[in-house]
Amino acid sequence: CGHAACAGCAPAINVRHVLDGLAAAKPESRIVLVIPASCWTIIAGVWPVSTFGVTVHLTPFASAAAEASGIKAALRLRGYEDTQVVVWAGDGGTCDIGFSGVSAAAERNEDIIYVLNDNEAYMNTGVQKSGATPEGAWTTTTPTSAPRHGQKKDMARIMAAHGIPYVATLALGSVPMLKDFRAKEAGAAEVQGFRFLHILGPCPPGWRYPTDQSVEVARLAVESRTFPLLAYDRGAWK
C-alpha cells in the first residue's frame, strides 16, 4: 500500500531489508514489530492500512523495549516461541528517552531483536539534537553558531558491555554493504537472547541533502569511517 515517508528516506529502504532479511532467515516464524513514538508511527499508515505487512504495536517513547519484552513473554506462554519480536526505534527513543528500558531488557537478555534506526537527531519533531548527533553537526538546538559539541554515544559498545550475545552496525550504500547487511540480519536471527542492530538512516530533510543521494551518503559515511561496520558476536568483535 506504500508508505508515508519523506522522499529519499533511507530508513524506508532499511526497514524493508530488515523485514525481508529476518523473514528469509526464519521463514517458518512470524514477526511482531514494536515501534515507539517516531517518524515511523506515521509512516506505518493509519489503521486499518499498514505498510509493513506484519503485526505492528505502537508504544510510547520510553517503553518499546519493555513492551517488546512483555509481548515476547505472552507469545511464549501461548506457545508461539518462534515469533520474532522486533523493535524498530529511533536514536531519541533508544539513546535518550528509552535508554533505561533498552538497558534493562539487555541486562535481562530478553529474547528480542532491537533495531536502532539512527538518523542522528529527533527528526519527527523538528531536527533537535539527540545523544546520537555527531560532533560538529547542525540541529535546531545546536545552531550553526554553536554546533554539536562532544561525540555521539557509542551505542554498539555500550550494548556489548551488557554482555548480550549479538551487536552489529549496518548501512546500505553498495552491493557489498547489502551483503553485509543481510549476513548480519541472518546472524541475529540465529541467536537467542537480546540482539542489537544499529542501522545508519540518512534523512534528507534533517541532514539537508538532495533526496536522490541517500544511498551515496550512507556509502560515504562507511567508507570515511564516520560510521564503521562491525559486529560483536558472542564475545568477539569483527
Side-chain angles (χ1 to χ4, degrees):
C1 64
H3 58 72
C6 299
C9 177
I13 305 171
N14 294 340
V15 74
R16 176 177 179 177
H17 283 288
V18 166
L19 294 175
D20 285 352
L22 292 177
K26 296 186 70 176
E28 73 286 355
S29 67
R30 297 180 178 180
I31 296 174
V32 174
L33 194 61
V34 180
I35 305 176
S38 63
C39 297
W40 288 87
T41 57
I42 307 301
I43 293 169
V46 179
W47 187 89
V49 175
S50 172
T51 190
F52 297 113
V54 299
T55 299
V56 176
H57 185 74
L58 303 182
T59 79
F61 230 140
S63 61
E67 295 201 31
S69 302
I71 291 170
K72 183 65 178 184
L75 290 167
R76 187 180 295 116
L77 288 172
R78 295 289 300 275
Y80 300 117
E81 180 70 33
D82 286 340
T83 300
Q84 301 183 83
V85 179
V86 181
V87 176
W88 177 269
D91 46 283
T94 302
C95 306
D96 303 335
I97 296 172
F99 180 75
S100 61
V102 178
S103 178
E107 184 272 329
R108 295 191 305 269
N109 198 29
E110 297 283 356
D111 189 25
I112 62 176
I113 297 174
Y114 193 103
V115 181
L116 164 55
N117 166 48
D118 185 7
N119 51 27
E120 300 188 328
Y122 289 85
M123 298 305 184
N124 190 45
T125 54
V127 198
Q128 297 92 354
K129 181 188 78 69
S130 77
T133 302
E135 174 82 27
W138 167 92
T139 70
T140 54
T141 51
T142 55
T144 54
S145 59
R148 162 73 150 119
H149 177 68
Q151 67 179 27
K152 67 181 290 178
K153 291 182 181 178
D154 190 344
M155 288 301 296
R157 296 188 184 278
I158 290 171
M159 298 313 299
H162 287 72
I164 61 177
Y166 194 82
V167 179
T169 61
L170 306 86
L172 287 173
S174 65
V175 171
M177 288 166 64
L178 175 58
K179 292 180 178 178
D180 176 79
F181 194 108
R182 286 301 186 94
K184 287 172 177 173
E185 285 187 289
E190 292 169 359
V191 177
Q192 282 194 318
F194 194 94
R195 291 143 286 168
F196 188 84
L197 302 179
H198 182 171
I199 304 180
L200 184 66
C203 172
W207 294 15
R208 297 190 171 184
Y209 63 82
T211 57
D212 63 349
Q213 293 184 10
S214 288
V215 172
E216 177 71 1
V217 166
R219 183 185 66 80
L220 291 172
V222 171
E223 291 183 353
S224 65
R225 302 185 184 181
T226 300
F227 189 84
L229 299 183
L230 48 85
Y232 176 84
D233 188 356
R234 285 160 284 201
W237 285 102
K238 300 177 182 178

PDB file of all heavy atoms in Angstrom, residues 168-206:
ATOM      1  N   ALA A 168      25.485  -5.473  16.118  1.00  0.00           N
ATOM      2  CA  ALA A 168      26.059  -5.193  14.796  1.00  0.00           C
ATOM      3  C   ALA A 168      25.669  -3.805  14.341  1.00  0.00           C
ATOM      4  O   ALA A 168      24.606  -3.293  14.697  1.00  0.00           O
ATOM      5  CB  ALA A 168      25.611  -6.228  13.775  1.00  0.00           C
ATOM      6  N   THR A 169      26.551  -3.188  13.553  1.00  0.00           N
ATOM      7  CA  THR A 169      26.225  -1.941  12.870  1.00  0.00           C
ATOM      8  C   THR A 169      26.033  -2.252  11.392  1.00  0.00           C
ATOM      9  O   THR A 169      26.748  -3.076  10.815  1.00  0.00           O
ATOM     10  CB  THR A 169      27.323  -0.880  13.051  1.00  0.00           C
ATOM     11  OG1 THR A 169      28.555  -1.360  12.485  1.00  0.00           O
ATOM     12  CG2 THR A 169      27.534  -0.573  14.518  1.00  0.00           C
ATOM     13  N   LEU A 170      25.037  -1.570  10.777  1.00  0.00           N
ATOM     14  CA  LEU A 170      24.666  -1.857   9.398  1.00  0.00           C
ATOM     15  C   LEU A 170      24.388  -0.566   8.652  1.00  0.00           C
ATOM     16  O   LEU A 170      23.968   0.434   9.254  1.00  0.00           O
ATOM     17  CB  LEU A 170      23.411  -2.744   9.332  1.00  0.00           C
ATOM     18  CG  LEU A 170      23.378  -4.065  10.091  1.00  0.00           C
ATOM     19  CD1 LEU A 170      22.932  -3.852  11.531  1.00  0.00           C
ATOM     20  CD2 LEU A 170      22.425  -5.039   9.412  1.00  0.00           C
ATOM     21  N   ALA A 171      24.590  -0.586   7.342  1.00  0.00           N
ATOM     22  CA  ALA A 171      24.242   0.540   6.477  1.00  0.00           C
ATOM     23  C   ALA A 171      24.088   0.015   5.060  1.00  0.00           C
ATOM     24  O   ALA A 171      24.681  -1.005   4.690  1.00  0.00           O
ATOM     25  CB  ALA A 171      25.304   1.629   6.532  1.00  0.00           C
ATOM     26  N   LEU A 172      23.292   0.725   4.254  1.00  0.00           N
ATOM     27  CA  LEU A 172      23.072   0.339   2.866  1.00  0.00           C
ATOM     28  C   LEU A 172      23.610   1.431   1.950  1.00  0.00           C
ATOM     29  O   LEU A 172      23.135   2.559   1.970  1.00  0.00           O
ATOM     30  CB  LEU A 172      21.581   0.129   2.596  1.00  0.00           C
ATOM     31  CG  LEU A 172      20.972  -1.145   3.189  1.00  0.00           C
ATOM     32  CD1 LEU A 172      19.458  -1.151   2.995  1.00  0.00           C
ATOM     33  CD2 LEU A 172      21.580  -2.384   2.543  1.00  0.00           C
ATOM     34  N   GLY A 173      24.648   1.091   1.159  1.00  0.00           N
ATOM     35  CA  GLY A 173      25.199   2.081   0.250  1.00  0.00           C
ATOM     36  C   GLY A 173      25.869   1.469  -0.964  1.00  0.00           C
ATOM     37  O   GLY A 173      26.312   2.186  -1.856  1.00  0.00           O
ATOM     38  N   SER A 174      25.953   0.138  -0.991  1.00  0.00           N
ATOM     39  CA  SER A 174      26.590  -0.563  -2.108  1.00  0.00           C
ATOM     40  C   SER A 174      26.182  -2.024  -2.036  1.00  0.00           C
ATOM     41  O   SER A 174      25.609  -2.480  -1.042  1.00  0.00           O
ATOM     42  CB  SER A 174      28.115  -0.441  -2.031  1.00  0.00           C
ATOM     43  OG  SER A 174      28.600  -1.114  -0.871  1.00  0.00           O
ATOM     44  N   VAL A 175      26.500  -2.782  -3.086  1.00  0.00           N
ATOM     45  CA  VAL A 175      26.177  -4.210  -3.090  1.00  0.00           C
ATOM     46  C   VAL A 175      26.912  -4.952  -1.968  1.00  0.00           C
ATOM     47  O   VAL A 175      26.302  -5.748  -1.246  1.00  0.00           O
ATOM     48  CB  VAL A 175      26.482  -4.831  -4.465  1.00  0.00           C
ATOM     49  CG1 VAL A 175      26.349  -6.361  -4.406  1.00  0.00           C
ATOM     50  CG2 VAL A 175      25.532  -4.268  -5.526  1.00  0.00           C
ATOM     51  N   PRO A 176      28.240  -4.733  -1.765  1.00  0.00           N
ATOM     52  CA  PRO A 176      28.895  -5.400  -0.634  1.00  0.00           C
ATOM     53  C   PRO A 176      28.272  -5.026   0.718  1.00  0.00           C
ATOM     54  O   PRO A 176      28.174  -5.874   1.612  1.00  0.00           O
ATOM     55  CB  PRO A 176      30.346  -4.899  -0.738  1.00  0.00           C
ATOM     56  CG  PRO A 176      30.523  -4.553  -2.163  1.00  0.00           C
ATOM     57  CD  PRO A 176      29.204  -4.005  -2.597  1.00  0.00           C
ATOM     58  N   MET A 177      27.830  -3.787   0.863  1.00  0.00           N
ATOM     59  CA  MET A 177      27.197  -3.379   2.116  1.00  0.00           C
ATOM     60  C   MET A 177      25.859  -4.074   2.296  1.00  0.00           C
ATOM     61  O   MET A 177      25.468  -4.409   3.418  1.00  0.00           O
ATOM     62  CB  MET A 177      27.048  -1.860   2.156  1.00  0.00           C
ATOM     63  CG  MET A 177      28.379  -1.134   2.347  1.00  0.00           C
ATOM     64  SD  MET A 177      28.303   0.641   1.988  1.00  0.00           S
ATOM     65  CE  MET A 177      27.181   1.204   3.252  1.00  0.00           C
ATOM     66  N   LEU A 178      25.129  -4.297   1.193  1.00  0.00           N
ATOM     67  CA  LEU A 178      23.873  -5.042   1.281  1.00  0.00           C
ATOM     68  C   LEU A 178      24.132  -6.485   1.706  1.00  0.00           C
ATOM     69  O   LEU A 178      23.399  -7.042   2.541  1.00  0.00           O
ATOM     70  CB  LEU A 178      23.140  -5.020  -0.063  1.00  0.00           C
ATOM     71  CG  LEU A 178      21.870  -5.868  -0.151  1.00  0.00           C
ATOM     72  CD1 LEU A 178      20.852  -5.462   0.904  1.00  0.00           C
ATOM     73  CD2 LEU A 178      21.260  -5.778  -1.546  1.00  0.00           C
ATOM     74  N   LYS A 179      25.180  -7.095   1.159  1.00  0.00           N
ATOM     75  CA  LYS A 179      25.525  -8.461   1.553  1.00  0.00           C
ATOM     76  C   LYS A 179      25.893  -8.517   3.034  1.00  0.00           C
ATOM     77  O   LYS A 179      25.497  -9.445   3.758  1.00  0.00           O
ATOM     78  CB  LYS A 179      26.679  -8.984   0.693  1.00  0.00           C
ATOM     79  CG  LYS A 179      26.304  -9.204  -0.765  1.00  0.00           C
ATOM     80  CD  LYS A 179      27.496  -9.719  -1.571  1.00  0.00           C
ATOM     81  CE  LYS A 179      27.096  -9.986  -3.024  1.00  0.00           C
ATOM     82  NZ  LYS A 179      28.261 -10.453  -3.833  1.00  0.00           N
ATOM     83  N   ASP A 180      26.640  -7.523   3.500  1.00  0.00           N
ATOM     84  CA  ASP A 180      26.994  -7.432   4.922  1.00  0.00           C
ATOM     85  C   ASP A 180      25.736  -7.261   5.769  1.00  0.00           C
ATOM     86  O   ASP A 180      25.574  -7.899   6.818  1.00  0.00           O
ATOM     87  CB  ASP A 180      27.948  -6.254   5.120  1.00  0.00           C
ATOM     88  CG  ASP A 180      28.306  -6.015   6.569  1.00  0.00           C
ATOM     89  OD1 ASP A 180      29.165  -6.742   7.099  1.00  0.00           O
ATOM     90  OD2 ASP A 180      27.713  -5.093   7.185  1.00  0.00           O
ATOM     91  N   PHE A 181      24.820  -6.395   5.315  1.00  0.00           N
ATOM     92  CA  PHE A 181      23.554  -6.123   5.997  1.00  0.00           C
ATOM     93  C   PHE A 181      22.765  -7.418   6.180  1.00  0.00           C
ATOM     94  O   PHE A 181      22.333  -7.763   7.295  1.00  0.00           O
ATOM     95  CB  PHE A 181      22.773  -5.130   5.136  1.00  0.00           C
ATOM     96  CG  PHE A 181      21.601  -4.465   5.793  1.00  0.00           C
ATOM     97  CD1 PHE A 181      21.657  -3.127   6.146  1.00  0.00           C
ATOM     98  CD2 PHE A 181      20.413  -5.148   6.016  1.00  0.00           C
ATOM     99  CE1 PHE A 181      20.569  -2.482   6.712  1.00  0.00           C
ATOM    100  CE2 PHE A 181      19.319  -4.515   6.579  1.00  0.00           C
ATOM    101  CZ  PHE A 181      19.393  -3.179   6.933  1.00  0.00           C
ATOM    102  N   ARG A 182      22.583  -8.162   5.083  1.00  0.00           N
ATOM    103  CA  ARG A 182      21.795  -9.383   5.137  1.00  0.00           C
ATOM    104  C   ARG A 182      22.487 -10.469   5.979  1.00  0.00           C
ATOM    105  O   ARG A 182      21.824 -11.234   6.688  1.00  0.00           O
ATOM    106  CB  ARG A 182      21.529  -9.898   3.729  1.00  0.00           C
ATOM    107  CG  ARG A 182      20.483  -9.098   2.951  1.00  0.00           C
ATOM    108  CD  ARG A 182      19.139  -9.099   3.677  1.00  0.00           C
ATOM    109  NE  ARG A 182      18.080  -8.477   2.936  1.00  0.00           N
ATOM    110  CZ  ARG A 182      17.221  -9.087   2.137  1.00  0.00           C
ATOM    111  NH1 ARG A 182      17.307 -10.386   1.944  1.00  0.00           N
ATOM    112  NH2 ARG A 182      16.264  -8.419   1.518  1.00  0.00           N
ATOM    113  N   ALA A 183      23.815 -10.536   5.903  1.00  0.00           N
ATOM    114  CA  ALA A 183      24.543 -11.534   6.698  1.00  0.00           C
ATOM    115  C   ALA A 183      24.387 -11.258   8.197  1.00  0.00           C
ATOM    116  O   ALA A 183      24.224 -12.190   9.000  1.00  0.00           O
ATOM    117  CB  ALA A 183      26.019 -11.533   6.311  1.00  0.00           C
ATOM    118  N   LYS A 184      24.410  -9.991   8.573  1.00  0.00           N
ATOM    119  CA  LYS A 184      24.260  -9.654   9.988  1.00  0.00           C
ATOM    120  C   LYS A 184      22.835  -9.903  10.469  1.00  0.00           C
ATOM    121  O   LYS A 184      22.622 -10.305  11.626  1.00  0.00           O
ATOM    122  CB  LYS A 184      24.678  -8.202  10.213  1.00  0.00           C
ATOM    123  CG  LYS A 184      26.192  -8.004  10.138  1.00  0.00           C
ATOM    124  CD  LYS A 184      26.578  -6.547  10.178  1.00  0.00           C
ATOM    125  CE  LYS A 184      28.095  -6.398  10.187  1.00  0.00           C
ATOM    126  NZ  LYS A 184      28.529  -4.981  10.068  1.00  0.00           N
ATOM    127  N   GLU A 185      21.867  -9.654   9.620  1.00  0.00           N
ATOM    128  CA  GLU A 185      20.487 -10.000   9.980  1.00  0.00           C
ATOM    129  C   GLU A 185      20.352 -11.497  10.214  1.00  0.00           C
ATOM    130  O   GLU A 185      19.717 -11.935  11.182  1.00  0.00           O
ATOM    131  CB  GLU A 185      19.531  -9.582   8.875  1.00  0.00           C
ATOM    132  CG  GLU A 185      19.248  -8.122   8.800  1.00  0.00           C
ATOM    133  CD  GLU A 185      18.154  -7.865   7.790  1.00  0.00           C
ATOM    134  OE1 GLU A 185      18.402  -8.011   6.582  1.00  0.00           O
ATOM    135  OE2 GLU A 185      17.040  -7.535   8.228  1.00  0.00           O
ATOM    136  N   ALA A 186      20.920 -12.286   9.316  1.00  0.00           N
ATOM    137  CA  ALA A 186      20.866 -13.736   9.472  1.00  0.00           C
ATOM    138  C   ALA A 186      21.560 -14.162  10.760  1.00  0.00           C
ATOM    139  O   ALA A 186      21.073 -15.041  11.485  1.00  0.00           O
ATOM    140  CB  ALA A 186      21.508 -14.418   8.265  1.00  0.00           C
ATOM    141  N   GLY A 187      22.685 -13.509  11.066  1.00  0.00           N
ATOM    142  CA  GLY A 187      23.386 -13.813  12.304  1.00  0.00           C
ATOM    143  C   GLY A 187      22.545 -13.516  13.526  1.00  0.00           C
ATOM    144  O   GLY A 187      22.514 -14.286  14.490  1.00  0.00           O
ATOM    145  N   ALA A 188      21.832 -12.384  13.496  1.00  0.00           N
ATOM    146  CA  ALA A 188      20.968 -12.022  14.611  1.00  0.00           C
ATOM    147  C   ALA A 188      19.809 -12.997  14.749  1.00  0.00           C
ATOM    148  O   ALA A 188      19.409 -13.358  15.860  1.00  0.00           O
ATOM    149  CB  ALA A 188      20.446 -10.602  14.430  1.00  0.00           C
ATOM    150  N   ALA A 189      19.243 -13.430  13.623  1.00  0.00           N
ATOM    151  CA  ALA A 189      18.090 -14.328  13.660  1.00  0.00           C
ATOM    152  C   ALA A 189      18.447 -15.696  14.226  1.00  0.00           C
ATOM    153  O   ALA A 189      17.594 -16.376  14.807  1.00  0.00           O
ATOM    154  CB  ALA A 189      17.512 -14.475  12.254  1.00  0.00           C
ATOM    155  N   GLU A 190      19.694 -16.088  14.073  1.00  0.00           N
ATOM    156  CA  GLU A 190      20.117 -17.415  14.509  1.00  0.00           C
ATOM    157  C   GLU A 190      20.412 -17.479  16.007  1.00  0.00           C
ATOM    158  O   GLU A 190      20.549 -18.571  16.569  1.00  0.00           O
ATOM    159  CB  GLU A 190      21.370 -17.842  13.733  1.00  0.00           C
ATOM    160  CG  GLU A 190      21.106 -18.106  12.251  1.00  0.00           C
ATOM    161  CD  GLU A 190      22.389 -18.263  11.461  1.00  0.00           C
ATOM    162  OE1 GLU A 190      23.480 -18.152  12.071  1.00  0.00           O
ATOM    163  OE2 GLU A 190      22.306 -18.483  10.232  1.00  0.00           O
ATOM    164  N   VAL A 191      20.516 -16.340  16.651  1.00  0.00           N
ATOM    165  CA  VAL A 191      20.918 -16.271  18.053  1.00  0.00           C
ATOM    166  C   VAL A 191      19.684 -16.059  18.927  1.00  0.00           C
ATOM    167  O   VAL A 191      18.749 -15.350  18.544  1.00  0.00           O
ATOM    168  CB  VAL A 191      21.931 -15.128  18.270  1.00  0.00           C
ATOM    169  CG1 VAL A 191      22.303 -14.986  19.738  1.00  0.00           C
ATOM    170  CG2 VAL A 191      23.175 -15.360  17.424  1.00  0.00           C
ATOM    171  N   GLN A 192      19.673 -16.637  20.118  1.00  0.00           N
ATOM    172  CA  GLN A 192      18.640 -16.366  21.098  1.00  0.00           C
ATOM    173  C   GLN A 192      19.158 -15.360  22.107  1.00  0.00           C
ATOM    174  O   GLN A 192      20.351 -15.286  22.380  1.00  0.00           O
ATOM    175  CB  GLN A 192      18.215 -17.640  21.816  1.00  0.00           C
ATOM    176  CG  GLN A 192      17.282 -18.521  21.000  1.00  0.00           C
ATOM    177  CD  GLN A 192      16.623 -19.583  21.844  1.00  0.00           C
ATOM    178  OE1 GLN A 192      17.271 -20.182  22.688  1.00  0.00           O
ATOM    179  NE2 GLN A 192      15.348 -19.812  21.621  1.00  0.00           N
ATOM    180  N   GLY A 193      18.264 -14.557  22.653  1.00  0.00           N
ATOM    181  CA  GLY A 193      18.635 -13.525  23.599  1.00  0.00           C
ATOM    182  C   GLY A 193      18.491 -12.148  22.983  1.00  0.00           C
ATOM    183  O   GLY A 193      17.909 -11.976  21.907  1.00  0.00           O
ATOM    184  N   PHE A 194      19.015 -11.149  23.649  1.00  0.00           N
ATOM    185  CA  PHE A 194      18.884  -9.763  23.202  1.00  0.00           C
ATOM    186  C   PHE A 194      19.895  -9.489  22.094  1.00  0.00           C
ATOM    187  O   PHE A 194      21.100  -9.639  22.275  1.00  0.00           O
ATOM    188  CB  PHE A 194      19.127  -8.808  24.374  1.00  0.00           C
ATOM    189  CG  PHE A 194      18.690  -7.393  24.102  1.00  0.00           C
ATOM    190  CD1 PHE A 194      17.430  -6.958  24.472  1.00  0.00           C
ATOM    191  CD2 PHE A 194      19.546  -6.493  23.486  1.00  0.00           C
ATOM    192  CE1 PHE A 194      17.012  -5.656  24.235  1.00  0.00           C
ATOM    193  CE2 PHE A 194      19.148  -5.187  23.234  1.00  0.00           C
ATOM    194  CZ  PHE A 194      17.881  -4.763  23.614  1.00  0.00           C
ATOM    195  N   ARG A 195      19.384  -9.059  20.931  1.00  0.00           N
ATOM    196  CA  ARG A 195      20.237  -8.746  19.798  1.00  0.00           C
ATOM    197  C   ARG A 195      20.004  -7.293  19.403  1.00  0.00           C
ATOM    198  O   ARG A 195      18.849  -6.844  19.331  1.00  0.00           O
ATOM    199  CB  ARG A 195      19.907  -9.671  18.634  1.00  0.00           C
ATOM    200  CG  ARG A 195      20.326 -11.117  18.891  1.00  0.00           C
ATOM    201  CD  ARG A 195      19.337 -12.101  18.329  1.00  0.00           C
ATOM    202  NE  ARG A 195      18.115 -12.167  19.119  1.00  0.00           N
ATOM    203  CZ  ARG A 195      16.990 -12.768  18.727  1.00  0.00           C
ATOM    204  NH1 ARG A 195      16.927 -13.335  17.536  1.00  0.00           N
ATOM    205  NH2 ARG A 195      15.936 -12.793  19.504  1.00  0.00           N
ATOM    206  N   PHE A 196      21.084  -6.574  19.150  1.00  0.00           N
ATOM    207  CA  PHE A 196      21.013  -5.132  18.906  1.00  0.00           C
ATOM    208  C   PHE A 196      21.612  -4.812  17.552  1.00  0.00           C
ATOM    209  O   PHE A 196      22.798  -5.053  17.301  1.00  0.00           O
ATOM    210  CB  PHE A 196      21.783  -4.379  20.002  1.00  0.00           C
ATOM    211  CG  PHE A 196      21.615  -2.887  19.959  1.00  0.00           C
ATOM    212  CD1 PHE A 196      20.518  -2.274  20.551  1.00  0.00           C
ATOM    213  CD2 PHE A 196      22.566  -2.083  19.351  1.00  0.00           C
ATOM    214  CE1 PHE A 196      20.369  -0.898  20.536  1.00  0.00           C
ATOM    215  CE2 PHE A 196      22.422  -0.703  19.318  1.00  0.00           C
ATOM    216  CZ  PHE A 196      21.322  -0.114  19.917  1.00  0.00           C
ATOM    217  N   LEU A 197      20.783  -4.276  16.639  1.00  0.00           N
ATOM    218  CA  LEU A 197      21.233  -3.881  15.309  1.00  0.00           C
ATOM    219  C   LEU A 197      21.166  -2.358  15.210  1.00  0.00           C
ATOM    220  O   LEU A 197      20.101  -1.766  15.366  1.00  0.00           O
ATOM    221  CB  LEU A 197      20.346  -4.513  14.233  1.00  0.00           C
ATOM    222  CG  LEU A 197      20.265  -6.036  14.227  1.00  0.00           C
ATOM    223  CD1 LEU A 197      19.328  -6.520  13.116  1.00  0.00           C
ATOM    224  CD2 LEU A 197      21.646  -6.661  14.062  1.00  0.00           C
ATOM    225  N   HIS A 198      22.298  -1.740  14.950  1.00  0.00           N
ATOM    226  CA  HIS A 198      22.412  -0.284  14.860  1.00  0.00           C
ATOM    227  C   HIS A 198      22.556   0.080  13.379  1.00  0.00           C
ATOM    228  O   HIS A 198      23.590  -0.158  12.764  1.00  0.00           O
ATOM    229  CB  HIS A 198      23.627   0.179  15.658  1.00  0.00           C
ATOM    230  CG  HIS A 198      23.820   1.659  15.680  1.00  0.00           C
ATOM    231  ND1 HIS A 198      24.758   2.258  16.494  1.00  0.00           N
ATOM    232  CD2 HIS A 198      23.220   2.673  15.023  1.00  0.00           C
ATOM    233  CE1 HIS A 198      24.713   3.566  16.321  1.00  0.00           C
ATOM    234  NE2 HIS A 198      23.788   3.831  15.417  1.00  0.00           N
ATOM    235  N   ILE A 199      21.490   0.653  12.813  1.00  0.00           N
ATOM    236  CA  ILE A 199      21.459   0.920  11.369  1.00  0.00           C
ATOM    237  C   ILE A 199      21.509   2.420  11.102  1.00  0.00           C
ATOM    238  O   ILE A 199      20.712   3.185  11.655  1.00  0.00           O
ATOM    239  CB  ILE A 199      20.183   0.331  10.736  1.00  0.00           C
ATOM    240  CG1 ILE A 199      20.085  -1.164  11.038  1.00  0.00           C
ATOM    241  CG2 ILE A 199      20.177   0.572   9.239  1.00  0.00           C
ATOM    242  CD1 ILE A 199      18.844  -1.818  10.456  1.00  0.00           C
ATOM    243  N   LEU A 200      22.434   2.843  10.250  1.00  0.00           N
ATOM    244  CA  LEU A 200      22.501   4.248   9.858  1.00  0.00           C
ATOM    245  C   LEU A 200      21.342   4.574   8.923  1.00  0.00           C
ATOM    246  O   LEU A 200      21.113   3.875   7.931  1.00  0.00           O
ATOM    247  CB  LEU A 200      23.827   4.538   9.162  1.00  0.00           C
ATOM    248  CG  LEU A 200      24.061   6.012   8.782  1.00  0.00           C
ATOM    249  CD1 LEU A 200      24.187   6.877  10.020  1.00  0.00           C
ATOM    250  CD2 LEU A 200      25.303   6.145   7.904  1.00  0.00           C
ATOM    251  N   GLY A 201      20.618   5.654   9.225  1.00  0.00           N
ATOM    252  CA  GLY A 201      19.454   6.038   8.429  1.00  0.00           C
ATOM    253  C   GLY A 201      19.511   7.478   7.970  1.00  0.00           C
ATOM    254  O   GLY A 201      18.874   8.351   8.568  1.00  0.00           O
ATOM    255  N   PRO A 202      20.263   7.800   6.918  1.00  0.00           N
ATOM    256  CA  PRO A 202      20.318   9.177   6.421  1.00  0.00           C
ATOM    257  C   PRO A 202      18.927   9.757   6.171  1.00  0.00           C
ATOM    258  O   PRO A 202      18.030   9.062   5.701  1.00  0.00           O
ATOM    259  CB  PRO A 202      21.117   9.043   5.118  1.00  0.00           C
ATOM    260  CG  PRO A 202      21.993   7.849   5.332  1.00  0.00           C
ATOM    261  CD  PRO A 202      21.146   6.905   6.132  1.00  0.00           C
ATOM    262  N   CYS A 203      18.789  11.046   6.482  1.00  0.00           N
ATOM    263  CA  CYS A 203      17.480  11.713   6.443  1.00  0.00           C
ATOM    264  C   CYS A 203      17.596  12.986   5.616  1.00  0.00           C
ATOM    265  O   CYS A 203      18.192  13.973   6.060  1.00  0.00           O
ATOM    266  CB  CYS A 203      17.048  12.043   7.880  1.00  0.00           C
ATOM    267  SG  CYS A 203      15.569  13.065   8.016  1.00  0.00           S
ATOM    268  N   PRO A 204      17.048  13.018   4.376  1.00  0.00           N
ATOM    269  CA  PRO A 204      17.211  14.196   3.516  1.00  0.00           C
ATOM    270  C   PRO A 204      16.750  15.517   4.136  1.00  0.00           C
ATOM    271  O   PRO A 204      17.507  16.491   4.111  1.00  0.00           O
ATOM    272  CB  PRO A 204      16.405  13.835   2.272  1.00  0.00           C
ATOM    273  CG  PRO A 204      16.418  12.351   2.227  1.00  0.00           C
ATOM    274  CD  PRO A 204      16.375  11.918   3.661  1.00  0.00           C
ATOM    275  N   PRO A 205      15.553  15.618   4.731  1.00  0.00           N
ATOM    276  CA  PRO A 205      15.164  16.923   5.295  1.00  0.00           C
ATOM    277  C   PRO A 205      15.964  17.306   6.529  1.00  0.00           C
ATOM    278  O   PRO A 205      16.237  18.487   6.757  1.00  0.00           O
ATOM    279  CB  PRO A 205      13.673  16.743   5.630  1.00  0.00           C
ATOM    280  CG  PRO A 205      13.472  15.278   5.730  1.00  0.00           C
ATOM    281  CD  PRO A 205      14.437  14.661   4.763  1.00  0.00           C
ATOM    282  N   GLY A 206      16.360  16.315   7.332  1.00  0.00           N
ATOM    283  CA  GLY A 206      17.123  16.623   8.543  1.00  0.00           C
ATOM    284  C   GLY A 206      18.587  16.902   8.273  1.00  0.00           C
ATOM    285  O   GLY A 206      19.185  17.790   8.877  1.00  0.00           O
TER     286      GLY A 206
END
